[in-house]
Amino acid sequence: MKKIAKLLSLSLALVLLCTSLSACGKSESGPSKIYTGGTAAYLDGIGWYSSVVYTLKLNADETYELTYQNYIFGTTDPGSKGLRTVIYTGTYTTAAAADGWETHRDVTLAPATHIYFEQHEKGFGRSAISGHCVIDTDNWTADMTTLLDPENNAMDAEAFLTEYAETITVTVEDPSLDTEDPSLGYRILELPELKLVTAAG
């Protein structure tokens, strides 16, 4: 009886191992390619630097995550003065780039189904959306409505997405399209103008 129990346990372990390995091999939800781009500027009036980085992650299941980060830091008074993070998620399609380059692709991002916005520190104290705040369309709260629409108290997650989720086309450089050119990188060639970032100030 003990031998049968051990045999059954061993068989079950082998089945679980095979199932797990099979699932790993078939997974299509992980990241496929990641592209980056950014800018930096010196804020002369206050002696701070502002660094902006965009990261576009294209998943194998044709979903995307576009992240915008603005980091503000001091020079004569070192340290963080502000960090703003905006994350858009949705679906995407790709096509040959309109500029004609074989190693470029135009990625069309459908309007986001989820937008996350967070900022903190005094660097955003005078922005249109100012101070420390979190806006998350998947986890909407009354405080978010008050922050964005204190007069009418009518803004909700759906209205926010209607206002700020937009179709965005991003041209990227993809080194996998020419593996013999070492100068290529996974780069965003032209940084998108995001309606929400412009409105936030």
Side-chain angles (χ1 to χ4, degrees):
M1 197 65 159
K2 287 183 179 179
K3 286 183 179 180
I4 293 174
K6 284 182 181 178
L7 185 58
L8 287 173
S9 297
L10 180 59
S11 299
L12 181 59
L14 286 171
V15 169
L16 291 173
L17 178 61
C18 290
T19 303
S20 136
L21 289 173
S22 174
C24 289
K26 293 180 180 177
S27 175
E28 294 183 355
S29 61
S32 176
K33 293 181 180 177
I34 298 175
Y35 304 85
T36 59
T39 61
Y42 180 64
L43 309 177
D44 193 38
I46 51 179
W48 293 350
Y49 283 101
S50 174
S51 170
V52 171
V53 175
Y54 290 80
T55 303
L56 175 60
K57 181 169 68 171
L58 302 181
N59 297 315
D61 62 358
E62 297 183 344
T63 61
Y64 73 84
E65 183 175 279
L66 176 65
T67 301
Y68 164 97
Q69 281 202 308
N70 182 196
Y71 177 46
I72 301 172
F73 56 95
T75 51
T76 55
D77 55 340
S80 176
K81 307 304 175 190
L83 179 62
R84 172 183 286 168
T85 302
V86 187
I87 303 173
Y88 302 78
T89 56
T91 60
Y92 74 90
T93 57
T94 60
D99 63 17
W101 285 80
E102 291 185 1
T103 54
H104 296 175
R105 287 290 179 268
D106 286 342
V107 183
T108 301
L109 309 179
T113 55
H114 174 219
I115 297 177
Y116 172 86
F117 177 107
E118 192 276 342
Q119 68 183 21
H120 53 270
E121 306 295 347
K122 61 184 179 181
F124 300 107
R126 297 182 181 180
S127 301
I129 300 178
S130 63
H132 172 68
C133 66
V134 176
I135 302 166
D136 184 349
T137 59
D138 276 4
N139 297 283
W140 198 266
T141 66
D143 288 342
M144 296 174 196
T145 297
T146 301
L147 170 72
L148 297 165
D149 189 15
E151 293 183 7
N152 302 311
N153 206 38
M155 178 70 76
D156 59 13
E158 184 178 353
F160 186 83
L161 287 171
T162 299
E163 180 72 20
Y164 295 112
E166 54 188 320
T167 300
I168 303 165
T169 298
V170 181
T171 301
V172 299
E173 181 178 83
D174 188 337
S176 70
L177 300 174
D178 184 358
T179 56
E180 295 182 1
D181 187 348
S183 69
L184 301 176
Y186 285 96
R187 290 191 280 258
I188 297 173
L189 297 173
E190 187 172 343
L191 302 179
E193 291 186 13
L194 305 174
K195 186 177 180 182
L196 174 56
V197 172
T198 301

